[in-house]
Amino acid sequence: MKFDVVTIFPAMVNAGLAEGVVGRARDRGLLDIGVHNLRDFTTDRHHVVDDVPFGGGPGMVMKPEPFFAAMEAIISRRGRPQAVVVLSPAGRRFSQDEARRLADCGHVALLCGRYEGIDERVRERWATDEVSIGDYVLSGGELPGLVVIDAVARLVPGVVGDEQSVEGDSFGRGLLDYPHYTRPAEYAGLRVPEVLTSGHHGEIRRWRRQQALRRTLERRPDLLDTAALDEDEREWLREWSARRARTE
Ligand code: 4GX
């Protein structure tokens, strides 16, 4: 999978891509990630990337020309990306579904803005998508860009060592994860649930599915509307809501 990131802070983006699962996948050649310094695509002596907003008002706006030149360079050096994503609080909310869609694209460019934003003509000419990672204000699109790359890269075959852990992931099935424990079996007076040390693998699977469903019901009931539940899980939900009705 190929990514290209356009930013005024390439060191920040490279630092975020150097460690962990993504860093390893990059080293192994599974991910080809180009990080491009927007200032390299300026033509003036001072490498200026921003200017005052037409119409007045506070702050600065990122100039269109460096982004246009960066996109032309990416296309000629690395091929035309299937998706060009602008990170912005005005974008469609990023989700696991969106990550899956981008993973199917094969080559994704990410445009990271700073200041008040990017000249609208950049989006008009180049963007196929505008994505927000959540309703809070950040100082730039670099962290959102890293978030998108991380979530998409995990879906590329071989990037995460254990493919099973990707499918079983929280959101792999549209549910929250079950609780995890490791040794020691008792710590600080707190015991690991007995079923997990019982060796009854059928019971363990059942307990985990119930825990995942319970947690989703309690913390994120909205996810149940779209989760892929099997017949057991639908039955457990009916049981729990019947019990609840009795004891209320
Ligand atoms: N999820 N920001 C981008 C500058 C900007 C504004 C408009 C392009 C268009 C954010 C978020 C986010 C702050 C990153 C403003 N660039 N991006 N930046 N939340 O808050 O994605």
Side-chain angles (χ1 to χ4, degrees), residues 17-183:
L17 297 172
E19 312 278 347
V21 164
V22 170
R24 223 159 19 244
R26 209 179 175 190
D27 292 340
R28 287 191 292 149
L30 285 169
L31 301 176
D32 173 3
I33 312 180
V35 181
H36 310 275
N37 188 344
L38 186 67
R39 291 192 198 280
D40 291 346
F41 301 95
T42 55
T43 52
D44 64 304
R45 285 207 311 132
H46 295 103
H47 304 290
V48 174
V49 294
D50 61 342
D51 203 343
V52 296
F54 270 126
M60 299 292 273
V61 175
M62 299 188 89
K63 295 162 61 60
E65 305 94 314
F67 278 105
F68 274 61
M71 283 307 305
E72 303 283 11
I74 287 167
I75 289 166
S76 79
R77 293 179 205 158
R78 299 188 30 95
R80 185 179 288 273
Q82 272 111 311
V84 179
V85 178
V86 172
L87 288 313
S88 147
R92 195 168 55 243
R93 176 68 64 85
F94 190 59
S95 64
Q96 193 65 27
D97 278 343
E98 196 78 357
R100 279 188 276 258
R101 190 180 64 76
L102 290 175
D104 285 333
C105 282
H107 185 186
V108 175
L110 299 145
L111 307 184
C112 305
R114 289 254 149 187
Y115 319 116
E116 302 310 308
I118 305 173
D119 186 285
E120 187 65 18
R121 290 165 291 187
V122 173
R123 180 176 8 233
E124 245 177 74
R125 174 61 55 87
W126 297 107
T128 61
D129 296 273
E130 191 171 353
V131 165
S132 165
I133 63 161
D135 293 339
Y136 32 79
V137 181
L138 300 171
S139 315
E142 286 77 12
L143 291 171
L146 288 168
V147 166
V148 169
I149 291 172
D150 191 278
V152 173
R154 296 175 57 76
L155 300 175
V156 174
V159 167
V160 175
D162 184 356
E163 286 302 308
Q164 274 196 341
S165 96
V166 176
E167 288 161 43
D169 255 344
S170 168
F171 289 106
R173 300 198 315 124
L175 292 176
L176 300 184
D177 213 352
Y178 53 79
H180 297 271
Y181 295 88
T182 185
R183 291 179 289 189

